[in-house]
Amino acid sequence: AAPLEPATGCYIGAYIELDSNLNGDVRAFETLVGKPHATYFRYVGYGQPFPFEWVRELHDAGVVPHIALEPNHGLDMVRDNDYLRGWAEAAGHTGVPIFLRYASEMNGTWQAYSGDPRAYIDKWRLVHRVMKAAAPNVAMVWCPFATPRATIADYYPGDEYVDWVGVNIYSVVHQDGDPSKPPSEDPLSLLSYVYNLYAERKPIAICEYASTHYCRAEARDTTDFAIEKMTRLYSALPDRF
């Protein structure tokens, strides 16, 4: 099994950091939704310190932290230096299981670390090497966006450098908030492409998923759309994935 891979079944997680009603309170969220979750995530910009207190709080609540570590100022700042080694040592010092989603959505043109697959792979392997040496409790998650598909495989660092393969998916009523653009593809289709490429040899994580519950482009409630898409995705997991 890969690091942190369950023997059977599927972890369920959430992102609650920007919900002003919760202020990151895991127990308040789980009371509202009536279901405990296995993991929660937050974004950490590359160059920021390791979120030690947050990791400890989640661990004390019986939850696995999932950190999206993003080099938002480009790959040049990712080096084998005191920052990276210190960050890895802090992660290792916690001694708790951690999912580390480094530089996700690299296949999209909107990221500062997109456009050079070779450089991306070199930096990924560097981060992987440092983490494995100082933080064996960390599972490295490689995570493209569901589209564009054509370049996803170009950024894959190789099986020996990846613990989990992830994918970010969104179900939207209109693309880019433009009423003239059709809805996003079916979430099962978006998941299937990455799943079919890698699931035979890696556990798969849906690292981000959400569905539009209010469409700003049309100024209307779309809760029924959100429920339909989310139900379709979740109910398909035990049967198709």
Side-chain angles (χ1 to χ4, degrees), residues 35-99:
K35 182 182 290 292
H37 283 50
T39 180
Y40 291 83
F41 89 83
R42 72 184 299 176
Y43 297 102
V44 175
Y46 196 93
Q48 294 178 338
F50 179 82
F52 200 91
E53 290 188 13
W54 178 77
V55 168
R56 277 296 185 190
E57 288 172 4
L58 289 191
H59 179 66
D60 290 346
V63 173
V64 176
H66 169 173
I67 300 171
L69 181 63
E70 300 186 328
N72 294 315
H73 298 291
L75 293 172
D76 287 345
M77 67 185 303
V78 182
R79 301 179 181 181
D80 188 351
N81 56 14
D82 290 345
Y83 169 74
L84 180 57
R85 288 181 176 272
W87 205 97
E89 289 168 3
H93 184 67
T94 67
V96 307
I98 297 171
F99 287 112

Short mmCIF file of all heavy atoms in Angstrom, two decimals, residues 35-99:
data_model
loop_
_atom_site.label_atom_id
_atom_site.label_comp_id
_atom_site.label_asym_id
_atom_site.label_seq_id
_atom_site.Cartn_x
_atom_site.Cartn_y
_atom_site.Cartn_z
N LYS A 35 -21.51 14.62 9.94
CA LYS A 35 -20.62 13.53 9.52
C LYS A 35 -19.17 13.88 9.84
O LYS A 35 -18.70 14.95 9.45
CB LYS A 35 -20.77 13.28 8.02
CG LYS A 35 -19.92 12.12 7.49
CD LYS A 35 -20.06 11.97 5.98
CE LYS A 35 -21.44 11.46 5.60
NZ LYS A 35 -21.63 10.06 6.05
N PRO A 36 -18.47 13.00 10.54
CA PRO A 36 -17.04 13.26 10.75
C PRO A 36 -16.26 13.14 9.44
O PRO A 36 -16.65 12.39 8.55
CB PRO A 36 -16.63 12.16 11.74
CG PRO A 36 -17.62 11.06 11.51
CD PRO A 36 -18.91 11.73 11.14
N HIS A 37 -15.19 13.89 9.33
CA HIS A 37 -14.35 13.86 8.13
C HIS A 37 -12.95 13.39 8.51
O HIS A 37 -12.47 13.63 9.62
CB HIS A 37 -14.29 15.25 7.49
CG HIS A 37 -15.53 15.60 6.72
ND1 HIS A 37 -16.78 15.47 7.24
CD2 HIS A 37 -15.69 16.06 5.45
CE1 HIS A 37 -17.68 15.85 6.33
NE2 HIS A 37 -17.04 16.21 5.24
N ALA A 38 -12.28 12.77 7.56
CA ALA A 38 -10.96 12.20 7.82
C ALA A 38 -9.84 13.20 7.62
O ALA A 38 -8.75 13.03 8.16
CB ALA A 38 -10.74 10.99 6.92
N THR A 39 -10.09 14.24 6.81
CA THR A 39 -9.00 15.15 6.44
C THR A 39 -9.56 16.53 6.08
O THR A 39 -10.69 16.64 5.59
CB THR A 39 -8.18 14.56 5.27
OG1 THR A 39 -7.13 15.45 4.92
CG2 THR A 39 -9.04 14.30 4.06
N TYR A 40 -8.77 17.56 6.36
CA TYR A 40 -9.08 18.94 5.97
C TYR A 40 -7.83 19.55 5.36
O TYR A 40 -6.71 19.16 5.72
CB TYR A 40 -9.52 19.77 7.18
CG TYR A 40 -10.85 19.37 7.74
CD1 TYR A 40 -10.96 18.31 8.63
CD2 TYR A 40 -12.01 20.04 7.37
CE1 TYR A 40 -12.18 17.92 9.15
CE2 TYR A 40 -13.25 19.66 7.89
CZ TYR A 40 -13.33 18.60 8.77
OH TYR A 40 -14.54 18.22 9.27
N PHE A 41 -8.02 20.51 4.45
CA PHE A 41 -6.83 21.09 3.84
C PHE A 41 -6.80 22.60 3.96
O PHE A 41 -7.79 23.26 4.23
CB PHE A 41 -6.68 20.61 2.39
CG PHE A 41 -7.35 21.44 1.32
CD1 PHE A 41 -6.74 22.57 0.80
CD2 PHE A 41 -8.58 21.04 0.78
CE1 PHE A 41 -7.34 23.30 -0.21
CE2 PHE A 41 -9.18 21.77 -0.23
CZ PHE A 41 -8.56 22.91 -0.73
N ARG A 42 -5.60 23.11 3.76
CA ARG A 42 -5.39 24.56 3.68
C ARG A 42 -4.24 24.82 2.72
O ARG A 42 -3.41 23.97 2.46
CB ARG A 42 -5.08 25.15 5.06
CG ARG A 42 -3.71 24.82 5.60
CD ARG A 42 -3.51 25.36 7.01
NE ARG A 42 -3.61 26.81 7.07
CZ ARG A 42 -3.54 27.52 8.21
NH1 ARG A 42 -3.41 26.89 9.36
NH2 ARG A 42 -3.61 28.82 8.19
N TYR A 43 -4.24 26.04 2.17
CA TYR A 43 -3.17 26.46 1.28
C TYR A 43 -2.03 27.09 2.08
O TYR A 43 -2.27 27.86 3.02
CB TYR A 43 -3.68 27.50 0.28
CG TYR A 43 -4.76 27.01 -0.65
CD1 TYR A 43 -6.10 27.34 -0.41
CD2 TYR A 43 -4.46 26.23 -1.75
CE1 TYR A 43 -7.11 26.91 -1.26
CE2 TYR A 43 -5.46 25.79 -2.61
CZ TYR A 43 -6.78 26.13 -2.36
OH TYR A 43 -7.77 25.69 -3.21
N VAL A 44 -0.81 26.77 1.69
CA VAL A 44 0.37 27.40 2.26
C VAL A 44 1.26 27.82 1.10
O VAL A 44 1.68 26.98 0.29
CB VAL A 44 1.14 26.44 3.19
CG1 VAL A 44 2.43 27.09 3.67
CG2 VAL A 44 0.28 26.03 4.38
N GLY A 45 1.53 29.11 0.97
CA GLY A 45 2.41 29.58 -0.08
C GLY A 45 3.85 29.19 0.21
O GLY A 45 4.30 29.25 1.36
N TYR A 46 4.54 28.76 -0.84
CA TYR A 46 5.95 28.39 -0.66
C TYR A 46 6.71 29.62 -0.19
O TYR A 46 6.66 30.68 -0.80
CB TYR A 46 6.53 27.88 -1.98
CG TYR A 46 7.83 27.13 -1.83
CD1 TYR A 46 7.85 25.75 -1.69
CD2 TYR A 46 9.04 27.82 -1.82
CE1 TYR A 46 9.04 25.07 -1.54
CE2 TYR A 46 10.23 27.14 -1.67
CZ TYR A 46 10.23 25.76 -1.54
OH TYR A 46 11.42 25.09 -1.39
N GLY A 47 7.43 29.47 0.92
CA GLY A 47 8.09 30.59 1.56
C GLY A 47 7.46 30.91 2.92
O GLY A 47 8.09 31.54 3.76
N GLN A 48 6.22 30.45 3.12
CA GLN A 48 5.56 30.62 4.41
C GLN A 48 5.98 29.50 5.35
O GLN A 48 6.37 28.41 4.92
CB GLN A 48 4.04 30.62 4.24
CG GLN A 48 3.51 31.80 3.45
CD GLN A 48 2.00 31.74 3.27
OE1 GLN A 48 1.39 30.69 3.36
NE2 GLN A 48 1.41 32.90 3.01
N PRO A 49 5.90 29.72 6.65
CA PRO A 49 6.32 28.69 7.60
C PRO A 49 5.38 27.49 7.62
O PRO A 49 4.23 27.58 7.19
CB PRO A 49 6.30 29.42 8.95
CG PRO A 49 5.36 30.56 8.77
CD PRO A 49 5.49 30.98 7.33
N PHE A 50 5.89 26.39 8.11
CA PHE A 50 5.07 25.19 8.28
C PHE A 50 3.96 25.48 9.30
O PHE A 50 4.23 26.02 10.37
CB PHE A 50 5.94 24.03 8.76
CG PHE A 50 5.18 22.77 8.99
CD1 PHE A 50 4.88 21.92 7.93
CD2 PHE A 50 4.73 22.42 10.26
CE1 PHE A 50 4.16 20.76 8.13
CE2 PHE A 50 4.02 21.26 10.47
CZ PHE A 50 3.73 20.42 9.40
N PRO A 51 2.70 25.12 9.00
CA PRO A 51 1.57 25.44 9.90
C PRO A 51 1.48 24.47 11.08
O PRO A 51 0.56 23.66 11.19
CB PRO A 51 0.36 25.32 8.96
CG PRO A 51 0.77 24.27 7.97
CD PRO A 51 2.24 24.48 7.74
N PHE A 52 2.42 24.59 11.97
CA PHE A 52 2.59 23.61 13.04
C PHE A 52 1.35 23.50 13.94
O PHE A 52 0.86 22.41 14.23
CB PHE A 52 3.83 23.97 13.87
CG PHE A 52 4.39 22.84 14.67
CD1 PHE A 52 5.36 22.01 14.16
CD2 PHE A 52 3.92 22.60 15.96
CE1 PHE A 52 5.87 20.96 14.91
CE2 PHE A 52 4.43 21.55 16.72
CZ PHE A 52 5.41 20.73 16.19
N GLU A 53 0.84 24.65 14.40
CA GLU A 53 -0.29 24.62 15.32
C GLU A 53 -1.52 24.02 14.67
O GLU A 53 -2.26 23.25 15.30
CB GLU A 53 -0.58 26.03 15.83
CG GLU A 53 0.47 26.57 16.77
CD GLU A 53 0.05 27.88 17.40
OE1 GLU A 53 -1.15 28.24 17.29
OE2 GLU A 53 0.92 28.56 17.99
N TRP A 54 -1.79 24.39 13.41
CA TRP A 54 -2.95 23.85 12.69
C TRP A 54 -2.85 22.35 12.55
O TRP A 54 -3.83 21.61 12.77
CB TRP A 54 -3.04 24.52 11.33
CG TRP A 54 -4.15 24.04 10.46
CD1 TRP A 54 -5.48 24.35 10.55
CD2 TRP A 54 -4.03 23.17 9.32
NE1 TRP A 54 -6.19 23.74 9.55
CE2 TRP A 54 -5.32 23.00 8.78
CE3 TRP A 54 -2.95 22.53 8.72
CZ2 TRP A 54 -5.56 22.21 7.66
CZ3 TRP A 54 -3.19 21.74 7.61
CH2 TRP A 54 -4.49 21.58 7.09
N VAL A 55 -1.66 21.85 12.23
CA VAL A 55 -1.46 20.41 12.09
C VAL A 55 -1.72 19.71 13.41
O VAL A 55 -2.40 18.67 13.47
CB VAL A 55 -0.03 20.12 11.59
CG1 VAL A 55 0.31 18.64 11.72
CG2 VAL A 55 0.12 20.55 10.14
N ARG A 56 -1.21 20.26 14.50
CA ARG A 56 -1.43 19.66 15.81
C ARG A 56 -2.91 19.67 16.20
O ARG A 56 -3.43 18.71 16.76
CB ARG A 56 -0.61 20.41 16.86
CG ARG A 56 0.83 19.95 16.95
CD ARG A 56 0.92 18.52 17.41
NE ARG A 56 2.29 18.10 17.62
CZ ARG A 56 2.65 16.85 17.83
NH1 ARG A 56 1.73 15.91 17.84
NH2 ARG A 56 3.91 16.53 18.02
N GLU A 57 -3.59 20.76 15.90
CA GLU A 57 -5.01 20.85 16.23
C GLU A 57 -5.81 19.78 15.50
O GLU A 57 -6.70 19.14 16.08
CB GLU A 57 -5.55 22.24 15.88
CG GLU A 57 -5.07 23.34 16.82
CD GLU A 57 -5.46 24.72 16.33
OE1 GLU A 57 -6.17 24.80 15.30
OE2 GLU A 57 -5.07 25.71 16.97
N LEU A 58 -5.52 19.61 14.22
CA LEU A 58 -6.23 18.58 13.46
C LEU A 58 -5.91 17.19 13.98
O LEU A 58 -6.80 16.34 14.11
CB LEU A 58 -5.88 18.68 11.97
CG LEU A 58 -6.42 19.87 11.19
CD1 LEU A 58 -6.20 19.66 9.69
CD2 LEU A 58 -7.91 20.09 11.44
N HIS A 59 -4.64 16.95 14.25
CA HIS A 59 -4.26 15.63 14.76
C HIS A 59 -4.97 15.33 16.08
O HIS A 59 -5.46 14.22 16.30
CB HIS A 59 -2.76 15.55 14.94
CG HIS A 59 -2.29 14.22 15.47
ND1 HIS A 59 -2.41 13.05 14.76
CD2 HIS A 59 -1.73 13.88 16.67
CE1 HIS A 59 -1.94 12.05 15.47
NE2 HIS A 59 -1.52 12.52 16.63
N ASP A 60 -5.05 16.33 16.95
CA ASP A 60 -5.74 16.14 18.23
C ASP A 60 -7.23 15.84 18.03
O ASP A 60 -7.86 15.21 18.88
CB ASP A 60 -5.58 17.38 19.11
CG ASP A 60 -4.15 17.56 19.61
OD1 ASP A 60 -3.36 16.60 19.52
OD2 ASP A 60 -3.83 18.67 20.08
N ALA A 61 -7.77 16.29 16.90
CA ALA A 61 -9.18 16.02 16.58
C ALA A 61 -9.34 14.71 15.81
O ALA A 61 -10.45 14.37 15.39
CB ALA A 61 -9.76 17.17 15.75
N GLY A 62 -8.25 13.97 15.62
CA GLY A 62 -8.32 12.70 14.92
C GLY A 62 -8.40 12.83 13.42
O GLY A 62 -8.95 11.96 12.73
N VAL A 63 -7.83 13.92 12.89
CA VAL A 63 -7.96 14.25 11.47
C VAL A 63 -6.57 14.35 10.85
O VAL A 63 -5.62 14.81 11.49
CB VAL A 63 -8.71 15.59 11.31
CG1 VAL A 63 -8.70 16.06 9.87
CG2 VAL A 63 -10.14 15.47 11.82
N VAL A 64 -6.45 13.93 9.58
CA VAL A 64 -5.18 14.03 8.86
C VAL A 64 -5.11 15.38 8.13
O VAL A 64 -5.98 15.67 7.30
CB VAL A 64 -5.02 12.87 7.86
CG1 VAL A 64 -3.73 13.04 7.05
CG2 VAL A 64 -5.02 11.53 8.58
N PRO A 65 -4.09 16.18 8.38
CA PRO A 65 -3.94 17.45 7.66
C PRO A 65 -3.55 17.22 6.20
O PRO A 65 -2.80 16.29 5.88
CB PRO A 65 -2.80 18.16 8.42
CG PRO A 65 -2.59 17.39 9.67
CD PRO A 65 -3.06 16.01 9.40
N HIS A 66 -4.06 18.06 5.34
CA HIS A 66 -3.75 18.03 3.91
C HIS A 66 -3.31 19.45 3.56
O HIS A 66 -4.08 20.39 3.64
CB HIS A 66 -5.02 17.61 3.16
CG HIS A 66 -4.98 17.78 1.68
ND1 HIS A 66 -5.99 17.30 0.87
CD2 HIS A 66 -4.10 18.36 0.83
CE1 HIS A 66 -5.72 17.59 -0.40
NE2 HIS A 66 -4.58 18.24 -0.44
N ILE A 67 -2.03 19.59 3.21
CA ILE A 67 -1.45 20.90 2.94
C ILE A 67 -1.19 21.06 1.45
O ILE A 67 -0.52 20.23 0.84
CB ILE A 67 -0.13 21.09 3.72
CG1 ILE A 67 -0.38 20.96 5.22
CG2 ILE A 67 0.49 22.45 3.39
CD1 ILE A 67 0.90 20.92 6.05
N ALA A 68 -1.74 22.13 0.86
CA ALA A 68 -1.46 22.47 -0.53
C ALA A 68 -0.34 23.50 -0.53
O ALA A 68 -0.56 24.68 -0.29
CB ALA A 68 -2.71 23.02 -1.22
N LEU A 69 0.89 23.04 -0.75
CA LEU A 69 2.08 23.90 -0.73
C LEU A 69 2.35 24.38 -2.15
O LEU A 69 2.67 23.59 -3.03
CB LEU A 69 3.28 23.12 -0.19
CG LEU A 69 4.60 23.88 -0.07
CD1 LEU A 69 4.48 25.03 0.92
CD2 LEU A 69 5.72 22.93 0.34
N GLU A 70 2.23 25.71 -2.37
CA GLU A 70 2.24 26.24 -3.73
C GLU A 70 3.34 27.28 -3.93
O GLU A 70 3.36 28.31 -3.23
CB GLU A 70 0.88 26.87 -4.05
CG GLU A 70 -0.26 25.87 -3.94
CD GLU A 70 -1.59 26.44 -4.40
OE1 GLU A 70 -1.81 27.65 -4.23
OE2 GLU A 70 -2.39 25.67 -4.93
N PRO A 71 4.25 27.04 -4.87
CA PRO A 71 5.29 28.04 -5.20
C PRO A 71 4.72 29.13 -6.12
O PRO A 71 4.97 29.16 -7.33
CB PRO A 71 6.36 27.20 -5.90
CG PRO A 71 5.61 26.05 -6.50
CD PRO A 71 4.45 25.78 -5.59
N ASN A 72 3.94 30.02 -5.53
CA ASN A 72 3.17 30.99 -6.32
C ASN A 72 4.03 32.05 -7.00
O ASN A 72 3.51 32.81 -7.82
CB ASN A 72 2.13 31.66 -5.42
CG ASN A 72 1.08 30.68 -4.95
OD1 ASN A 72 0.57 29.89 -5.72
ND2 ASN A 72 0.76 30.71 -3.66
N HIS A 73 5.30 32.10 -6.67
CA HIS A 73 6.19 33.06 -7.33
C HIS A 73 7.13 32.35 -8.31
O HIS A 73 8.13 32.95 -8.74
CB HIS A 73 6.99 33.84 -6.29
CG HIS A 73 6.13 34.65 -5.37
ND1 HIS A 73 5.43 35.76 -5.81
CD2 HIS A 73 5.82 34.49 -4.06
CE1 HIS A 73 4.73 36.26 -4.79
NE2 HIS A 73 4.96 35.52 -3.73
N GLY A 74 6.79 31.12 -8.66
CA GLY A 74 7.58 30.40 -9.66
C GLY A 74 8.51 29.37 -9.07
O GLY A 74 8.73 29.31 -7.85
N LEU A 75 9.08 28.55 -9.94
CA LEU A 75 9.90 27.43 -9.52
C LEU A 75 11.31 27.83 -9.10
O LEU A 75 11.98 27.06 -8.40
CB LEU A 75 9.99 26.40 -10.66
CG LEU A 75 8.69 25.68 -11.01
CD1 LEU A 75 8.88 24.85 -12.28
CD2 LEU A 75 8.23 24.79 -9.86
N ASP A 76 11.77 29.00 -9.49
CA ASP A 76 13.14 29.39 -9.18
C ASP A 76 13.40 29.45 -7.67
O ASP A 76 14.53 29.23 -7.22
CB ASP A 76 13.47 30.75 -9.80
CG ASP A 76 13.65 30.67 -11.31
OD1 ASP A 76 13.81 29.54 -11.83
OD2 ASP A 76 13.62 31.73 -11.97
N MET A 77 12.35 29.76 -6.90
CA MET A 77 12.54 29.87 -5.46
C MET A 77 12.60 28.51 -4.76
O MET A 77 12.94 28.44 -3.57
CB MET A 77 11.42 30.72 -4.85
CG MET A 77 10.04 30.10 -4.91
SD MET A 77 8.74 31.21 -4.30
CE MET A 77 9.31 31.58 -2.64
N VAL A 78 12.28 27.44 -5.47
CA VAL A 78 12.30 26.10 -4.88
C VAL A 78 13.71 25.54 -5.01
O VAL A 78 14.15 25.14 -6.09
CB VAL A 78 11.28 25.17 -5.58
CG1 VAL A 78 11.29 23.80 -4.93
CG2 VAL A 78 9.89 25.78 -5.53
N ARG A 79 14.42 25.52 -3.88
CA ARG A 79 15.82 25.09 -3.87
C ARG A 79 16.09 24.25 -2.63
O ARG A 79 15.34 24.31 -1.65
CB ARG A 79 16.75 26.31 -3.89
CG ARG A 79 16.55 27.20 -5.11
CD ARG A 79 17.47 28.40 -5.10
NE ARG A 79 17.23 29.25 -6.27
CZ ARG A 79 17.91 30.35 -6.53
NH1 ARG A 79 18.88 30.74 -5.72
NH2 ARG A 79 17.63 31.07 -7.62
N ASP A 80 17.17 23.50 -2.70
CA ASP A 80 17.60 22.73 -1.54
C ASP A 80 18.33 23.68 -0.60
O ASP A 80 19.56 23.84 -0.67
CB ASP A 80 18.51 21.58 -2.00
CG ASP A 80 18.82 20.62 -0.85
OD1 ASP A 80 18.49 20.94 0.30
OD2 ASP A 80 19.43 19.57 -1.11
N ASN A 81 17.57 24.34 0.27
CA ASN A 81 18.14 25.36 1.14
C ASN A 81 17.55 25.24 2.54
O ASN A 81 16.82 24.30 2.86
CB ASN A 81 17.90 26.75 0.55
CG ASN A 81 16.42 27.04 0.29
OD1 ASN A 81 15.55 26.33 0.79
ND2 ASN A 81 16.15 28.08 -0.46
N ASP A 82 17.88 26.22 3.38
CA ASP A 82 17.43 26.17 4.78
C ASP A 82 15.92 26.19 4.89
O ASP A 82 15.35 25.55 5.78
CB ASP A 82 18.03 27.34 5.56
CG ASP A 82 19.53 27.21 5.78
OD1 ASP A 82 20.05 26.10 5.59
OD2 ASP A 82 20.16 28.22 6.15
N TYR A 83 15.26 26.94 4.00
CA TYR A 83 13.79 27.00 4.10
C TYR A 83 13.18 25.63 3.86
O TYR A 83 12.38 25.14 4.67
CB TYR A 83 13.21 28.00 3.09
CG TYR A 83 11.70 27.88 3.00
CD1 TYR A 83 10.89 28.37 4.01
CD2 TYR A 83 11.09 27.22 1.92
CE1 TYR A 83 9.50 28.22 3.96
CE2 TYR A 83 9.72 27.08 1.86
CZ TYR A 83 8.92 27.58 2.88
OH TYR A 83 7.57 27.41 2.82
N LEU A 84 13.51 25.00 2.74
CA LEU A 84 12.90 23.71 2.41
C LEU A 84 13.25 22.66 3.44
O LEU A 84 12.38 21.90 3.90
CB LEU A 84 13.34 23.27 1.01
CG LEU A 84 12.79 21.92 0.53
CD1 LEU A 84 11.26 21.92 0.54
CD2 LEU A 84 13.32 21.59 -0.87
N ARG A 85 14.50 22.61 3.84
CA ARG A 85 14.90 21.61 4.83
C ARG A 85 14.26 21.88 6.19
O ARG A 85 13.83 20.95 6.88
CB ARG A 85 16.42 21.57 4.95
CG ARG A 85 17.09 20.94 3.72
CD ARG A 85 18.60 20.88 3.84
NE ARG A 85 19.16 20.19 2.69
CZ ARG A 85 19.33 18.87 2.62
NH1 ARG A 85 18.98 18.11 3.65
NH2 ARG A 85 19.84 18.31 1.53
N GLY A 86 14.15 23.15 6.57
CA GLY A 86 13.50 23.48 7.82
C GLY A 86 12.02 23.15 7.81
O GLY A 86 11.47 22.66 8.80
N TRP A 87 11.38 23.40 6.67
CA TRP A 87 9.96 23.09 6.53
C TRP A 87 9.74 21.58 6.65
O TRP A 87 8.83 21.12 7.36
CB TRP A 87 9.47 23.59 5.17
CG TRP A 87 8.02 23.89 5.06
CD1 TRP A 87 7.42 25.11 5.17
CD2 TRP A 87 6.96 22.97 4.77
NE1 TRP A 87 6.06 25.00 4.98
CE2 TRP A 87 5.75 23.70 4.72
CE3 TRP A 87 6.91 21.60 4.53
CZ2 TRP A 87 4.51 23.11 4.47
CZ3 TRP A 87 5.68 20.99 4.28
CH2 TRP A 87 4.50 21.75 4.25
N ALA A 88 10.60 20.82 5.97
CA ALA A 88 10.49 19.36 6.03
C ALA A 88 10.77 18.84 7.44
O ALA A 88 10.08 17.92 7.92
CB ALA A 88 11.45 18.73 5.03
N GLU A 89 11.76 19.41 8.10
CA GLU A 89 12.07 18.98 9.46
C GLU A 89 10.91 19.28 10.42
O GLU A 89 10.61 18.48 11.32
CB GLU A 89 13.35 19.65 9.94
CG GLU A 89 14.60 19.11 9.24
CD GLU A 89 15.83 19.96 9.49
OE1 GLU A 89 15.71 20.96 10.27
OE2 GLU A 89 16.89 19.65 8.92
N ALA A 90 10.25 20.42 10.21
CA ALA A 90 9.08 20.75 11.04
C ALA A 90 7.96 19.74 10.80
O ALA A 90 7.31 19.28 11.75
CB ALA A 90 8.60 22.16 10.74
N ALA A 91 7.74 19.38 9.53
CA ALA A 91 6.72 18.38 9.22
C ALA A 91 7.06 17.04 9.85
O ALA A 91 6.19 16.36 10.41
CB ALA A 91 6.59 18.24 7.70
N GLY A 92 8.33 16.66 9.77
CA GLY A 92 8.74 15.40 10.37
C GLY A 92 8.66 15.42 11.88
O GLY A 92 8.33 14.40 12.51
N HIS A 93 8.93 16.57 12.47
CA HIS A 93 8.92 16.68 13.93
C HIS A 93 7.53 16.45 14.51
O HIS A 93 7.40 15.99 15.65
CB HIS A 93 9.44 18.06 14.34
CG HIS A 93 9.56 18.25 15.82
ND1 HIS A 93 10.47 17.56 16.60
CD2 HIS A 93 8.86 19.04 16.70
CE1 HIS A 93 10.33 17.92 17.86
NE2 HIS A 93 9.36 18.81 17.95
N THR A 94 6.49 16.76 13.75
CA THR A 94 5.13 16.53 14.25
C THR A 94 4.88 15.05 14.49
O THR A 94 4.12 14.68 15.39
CB THR A 94 4.07 17.05 13.27
OG1 THR A 94 4.09 16.26 12.06
CG2 THR A 94 4.29 18.51 12.94
N GLY A 95 5.47 14.19 13.66
CA GLY A 95 5.28 12.75 13.80
C GLY A 95 3.90 12.27 13.44
O GLY A 95 3.54 11.12 13.73
N VAL A 96 3.09 13.12 12.78
CA VAL A 96 1.71 12.73 12.46
C VAL A 96 1.56 12.57 10.95
O VAL A 96 2.32 13.17 10.18
CB VAL A 96 0.70 13.77 12.99
CG1 VAL A 96 0.93 14.01 14.48
CG2 VAL A 96 0.78 15.07 12.23
N PRO A 97 0.61 11.77 10.50
CA PRO A 97 0.39 11.63 9.05
C PRO A 97 -0.02 12.95 8.42
O PRO A 97 -0.85 13.67 8.97
CB PRO A 97 -0.74 10.60 8.96
CG PRO A 97 -0.77 9.92 10.29
CD PRO A 97 -0.31 10.93 11.28
N ILE A 98 0.57 13.27 7.27
CA ILE A 98 0.27 14.52 6.56
C ILE A 98 0.22 14.22 5.06
O ILE A 98 1.11 13.57 4.52
CB ILE A 98 1.35 15.59 6.82
CG1 ILE A 98 1.39 15.99 8.31
CG2 ILE A 98 1.12 16.82 5.95
CD1 ILE A 98 2.58 16.87 8.66
N PHE A 99 -0.82 14.70 4.41
CA PHE A 99 -0.86 14.73 2.95
C PHE A 99 -0.24 16.06 2.49
O PHE A 99 -0.68 17.13 2.92
CB PHE A 99 -2.29 14.64 2.42
CG PHE A 99 -2.91 13.29 2.55
CD1 PHE A 99 -3.98 13.08 3.41
CD2 PHE A 99 -2.46 12.22 1.79
CE1 PHE A 99 -4.57 11.83 3.53
CE2 PHE A 99 -3.05 10.97 1.90
CZ PHE A 99 -4.10 10.77 2.77
#
